[in-house]
Amino acid sequence: MDFLKELNKEQLEAVLEIERPVLILAGAGSGKTRVITYKIAYLIKNNIAKPENIVALTFTNKAAEEMKKRINNMLGAKDADKVWAGTFHGFGLYLLKNFGKYWSLSPYFVIYDENDQEDLIKDILKDLNRAKDYNARDIKEKISRLKDQLITPQEFSSLISNSFDEIVLEVYKRYEKELRRNNALDFADLLLYSIRLLQEKPAICGFLQDKIEYVLVDEYQDTNKAQYELFKIIVLDKQKFSVVGDDDQSIYSFRGADYQNIFRLEKDFKNLRVIFLTKNYRSTQQILEIANVLIANNDKRYPKELWSDKKDGTYPVLFRALNEEDEANFVARQIKLEVAKGRRWSEIAVLYRTNRQSRSFEEALIRNNIPYKVIGGMSFFDRKEVKDIVAYLNVIYNPNDIVSMKRIINVPRRGIGDATFNMIREYYNKGYSLLEAVKEVSKIKKEVKSFYELWTYLLVLKDSLTLRDLISTIINKTNYLSEFENQEKKELENRMENLMELMDFADNFSGKAQDTLGEFLTHLSLTNSKLESTLEEGKVSLITLHSVKGLEFEVVFLVGMEEGILPHYNATTKEEIQEERRLCYVGITRAKEKLYLSYAAKRYSRYQEPSRFLEEIYHLLTVKK
């Protein structure tokens, strides 16, 4: 078969192995998608499996469509269209639609998306008189994670450890009842119910196992417990499967992914063959050397070393910045130099661990007229907590800014609704100043009176405080963080970090707030208008490390290589540190030709230590002064 000649030795072995179940450990950039599609083509072309009896499981519909497109190019649409290629959840839906009726499940069930789930949970919280106390999205996420772990409300009741868990349990019970009453399933149910269906209906399970001749799974290291259990059920009889994954790129434990599923395969399938794909088609050997040295420090992994035919690259550069602004300016300068040499904006990416870090880079790129886009998170200036505090600053600077007033008059919640705000608007429309309008309504509405007193206090205070202190006072006097007190700890910490970053940014505007506030707000306005103007053009990517997997760039800047950032300060156990190292490894292996790493001696007004990961690869770096 001509197409097999396009494979290297390792890839060919993986495609031709059909007698035993196969775990293909595909290193970054090693051509794993090609192996999966070529194996499907090989199975069909040699009549080893009929196309309609092949199941290919991916993590995104886009990946499934790309797989089908490649098979179509090799074999034609007739065979490609018969292959069942889709997500785990899509496969669960297929099972429930076709076989759920034998399990007392109406085939006319509806599927609630994330917004539907949140709306239902909001209604439940209202019924419990807890709507103001808890965030529906946080509870939805918690319930989804429990379902991914196959944990029922009854089982969760014995695992409760705090007050948030208690409300989750109460909502979870009611949520399940409402789903059943509405003949609805959520996404997690598509897996959970499929597993129960196959466990409780052995005839259906046997039929399915007989029908499916071969199963392939992509990005296997990202599977959770429910996905592994469903996979195990459908392959247990024939044990005809190939799963492709990389334990070194497992970075989604916070979503429920469990890289230990890779090691469970050898325990559950004694005849398993493990094949390594180590030839990298993306990066230079110099980049791969530091990736190999770094990841070798993790002990719970399959040992492997990536290699490349691209031997003539340069060793990655390490830059020690004085602070985050110096780091951002360095990145901007180097980007301009790379573009001057012929690079396109879109060939360059800046990778960072936390969303908070994007602010200084956005500023530097804007100053240098470098177009960019933020991927894997919104622009720093578009985040709710930033926009809320800026709205407070707006009504202090311009007391007639009714748009900003509407945004924050009930943030955090004060019991001021639309009807009360409309009363203020009526006075304002009659010719009262906004401050006077609020004062008039405060005479009959105690909630508005407390806001009026706060506002007038801040108006006076701006004359004596620095901009940073004014922001800090707004946060404290309004008890702003109470807006998020019932969110999960990680979400609250992210918001607090962003507010700290806003205060650090305000330090660039020295003097009293009354003198600098206008300049500060004007600067933010210009920043946001420039962001708008670059959205549709070719641009540099600013992207979180958790969002970069599967992507590649000619030039990569991996920034913020400091203790407390990468690895993150929340990573305290050995397992968590090893996942942070994998995250760093993923970032390094996105670079095709050039890699820059950087750290700041001082960040967020605090002295920083270089990341331990830098120490592990320092001898292979070119240090730039």
Side-chain angles (χ1 to χ4, degrees), residues 344-519:
R344 297 193 300 273
W345 301 117
S346 58
E347 294 177 333
I348 303 170
V350 182
L351 312 183
Y352 43 83
R353 174 64 176 84
T354 66
N355 283 314
R356 176 185 182 181
Q357 292 169 262
S358 76
R359 195 276 304 166
S360 58
F361 296 101
E362 291 185 62
E363 281 284 307
L365 298 186
I366 289 167
R367 279 197 305 271
N368 286 274
N369 295 312
I370 297 173
Y372 72 91
K373 59 183 174 182
V374 177
I375 304 173
M378 64 180 70
S379 165
F380 174 81
F381 304 104
D382 286 335
R383 290 165 190 150
K384 172 178 165 50
E385 57 275 19
V386 174
K387 291 176 78 72
D388 285 347
I389 300 304
V390 169
Y392 270 104
L393 294 173
N394 279 332
V395 297
I396 294 170
Y397 180 68
N398 172 17
N400 278 324
D401 184 350
I402 195 166
V403 173
S404 293
M405 171 63 69
K406 184 177 182 181
R407 179 180 181 95
I408 51 87
I409 195 167
N410 196 41
V411 176
R413 296 179 183 89
R414 301 184 176 93
I416 301 175
D418 291 341
T420 302
F421 183 77
N422 287 336
M423 292 172 64
I424 295 171
R425 189 193 295 275
E426 284 178 18
Y427 278 104
Y428 183 64
N429 290 340
K430 289 177 182 177
Y432 288 73
S433 71
L434 190 55
L435 188 62
E436 291 168 342
V438 172
K439 182 178 181 181
E440 288 301 313
V441 177
S442 73
K443 294 174 182 177
I444 55 174
K445 294 282 187 180
K446 63 179 181 180
E447 298 88 354
V448 177
K449 183 181 179 183
S450 65
F451 176 77
Y452 173 74
E453 291 172 348
L454 169 70
W455 188 15
T456 53
Y457 171 77
L458 293 171
L459 284 169
V460 173
L461 210 61
K462 79 175 191 297
D463 297 337
S464 58
L465 295 181
T466 64
L467 190 51
R468 182 190 184 93
D469 288 341
L470 179 60
I471 293 172
S472 178
T473 301
I474 292 169
I475 294 169
N476 292 326
K477 287 294 183 181
T478 62
N479 195 22
Y480 178 72
L481 290 175
S482 66
E483 179 81 352
F484 313 107
E485 64 185 357
N486 288 311
Q487 292 190 349
E488 288 201 300
K489 181 182 177 183
K490 184 176 180 182
E491 181 67 21
L492 180 60
E493 286 175 348
N494 286 339
R495 294 189 188 277
M496 291 171 64
E497 283 185 358
N498 289 333
L499 292 174
M500 286 296 298
E501 180 67 15
L502 184 65
M503 286 191 281
D504 289 345
F505 181 44
D507 284 339
N508 294 319
F509 299 81
S510 58
K512 298 301 180 188
Q514 63 173 343
D515 301 318
T516 58
L517 184 52
E519 181 187 356

Side-chain angles (χ1 to χ4, degrees), residues 4 69 80 207 255-256 279 294 305 374 462 473 583 592:
L4 294 181
K69 184 179 177 182
F207 170 80
R255 292 182 190 167
K279 181 176 182 180
L294 174 75
E305 286 206 359
V374 177
K462 79 175 191 297
T473 301
L583 196 56
K592 296 173 73 174

